[in-house]
């Protein structure tokens, strides 16, 4: 029988590396699940390089269970240093794989992490569109 949480998940929950707020974030994404009460916010800060934006920093605030916090922390590590285009390809499956094991009743947490990421990228695009219109 598998343990309820993997050692990696417990480590991520106990010592999340990416917990926090980026006050001057270029975009914020959020996702939540009204059934379980998990709420995630993902803050991204980019660095503009020729013809691309690279995610320089990413932080999260999550209200939820151990799996919600761990999946939020994992997705931050998975996208840091990637272009926005590369980050958009990161999925809940990548998050679950990184944790080795996620109980079936907690898999929705990996979906929420992906949704928060997609929302942040969408909001980044909206923000950039507004900036270019002002020029």
């Amino acid at each position: 029988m598998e343990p309820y949480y993997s050692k990696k998940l417990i480590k991520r929950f106990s010592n999340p590396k990416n917990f926090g707020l980026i006050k001057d974030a270029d975009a914020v994404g959020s996702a939540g699940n009204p059934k379980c009460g998990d709420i995630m916010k993902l803050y991204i800060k980019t660095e503009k390089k020729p013809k691309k934006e690279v995610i320089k920093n990413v932080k999260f605030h999550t209200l939820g269970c151990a799996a919600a916090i761990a999946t939020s922390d994992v997705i931050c590590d998975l996208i840091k240093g990637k272009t926005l285009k590369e980050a958009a390809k990161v999925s809940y499956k990548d998050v679950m794989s990184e944790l080795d094991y996620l109980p079936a009743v907690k898999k929705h947490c990996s979906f929420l992490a992906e949704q928060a990421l997609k929302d942040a990228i969408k909001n980044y695009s909206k923000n950039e569109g507004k900036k270019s219109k002002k020029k």
Side-chain angles (χ1 to χ4, degrees):
M1 181 177 173
E2 292 281 341
Y4 194 70
Y5 287 136
S6 70
K7 288 180 182 179
K8 284 185 177 181
L9 188 143
I10 292 168
K11 184 177 177 182
R12 289 281 187 165
F13 166 70
S14 301
N15 297 300
K17 299 184 284 182
N18 302 295
F19 179 80
L21 169 72
I22 301 175
K23 289 185 181 180
D24 62 342
D26 294 319
V28 179
S30 60
N33 183 328
K35 280 188 179 180
C36 69
D38 294 335
I39 301 169
M40 298 180 180
K41 277 197 173 180
L42 198 66
Y43 305 87
I44 59 173
K45 184 73 179 167
T46 61
E47 179 179 9
K48 296 197 185 327
K49 296 197 173 189
K51 298 184 182 181
K52 61 184 173 182
E53 295 87 17
V54 174
I55 297 171
K56 180 180 176 182
N57 195 9
V58 58
K59 298 281 183 192
F60 75 92
H61 272 164
T62 295
L63 175 64
C65 64
I69 292 167
T71 56
S72 299
D73 196 48
V74 165
I75 204 151
C76 291
D77 278 349
L78 290 175
I79 66 169
K80 200 177 291 181
K82 287 187 167 31
T83 65
L84 291 171
K85 210 176 230 187
E86 292 167 334
K89 294 176 184 173
V90 172
S91 78
Y92 73 94
K93 291 178 183 177
D94 300 314
V95 173
M96 289 191 325
S97 175
E98 192 67 28
L99 291 171
D100 289 340
Y101 173 77
L102 199 57
V105 297
K106 296 296 180 177
K107 288 185 180 176
H108 70 278
C109 295
S110 61
F111 290 110
L112 289 177
E114 180 183 347
Q115 288 172 341
L117 169 60
K118 303 272 190 254
D119 191 49
I121 292 170
K122 179 185 80 174
N123 290 335
Y124 179 87
S125 296
K126 281 184 191 175
N127 294 343
E128 287 302 298
K130 288 177 186 174
K131 287 179 187 175
S132 63
K133 286 180 184 177
K134 288 181 181 179
K135 290 181 181 178

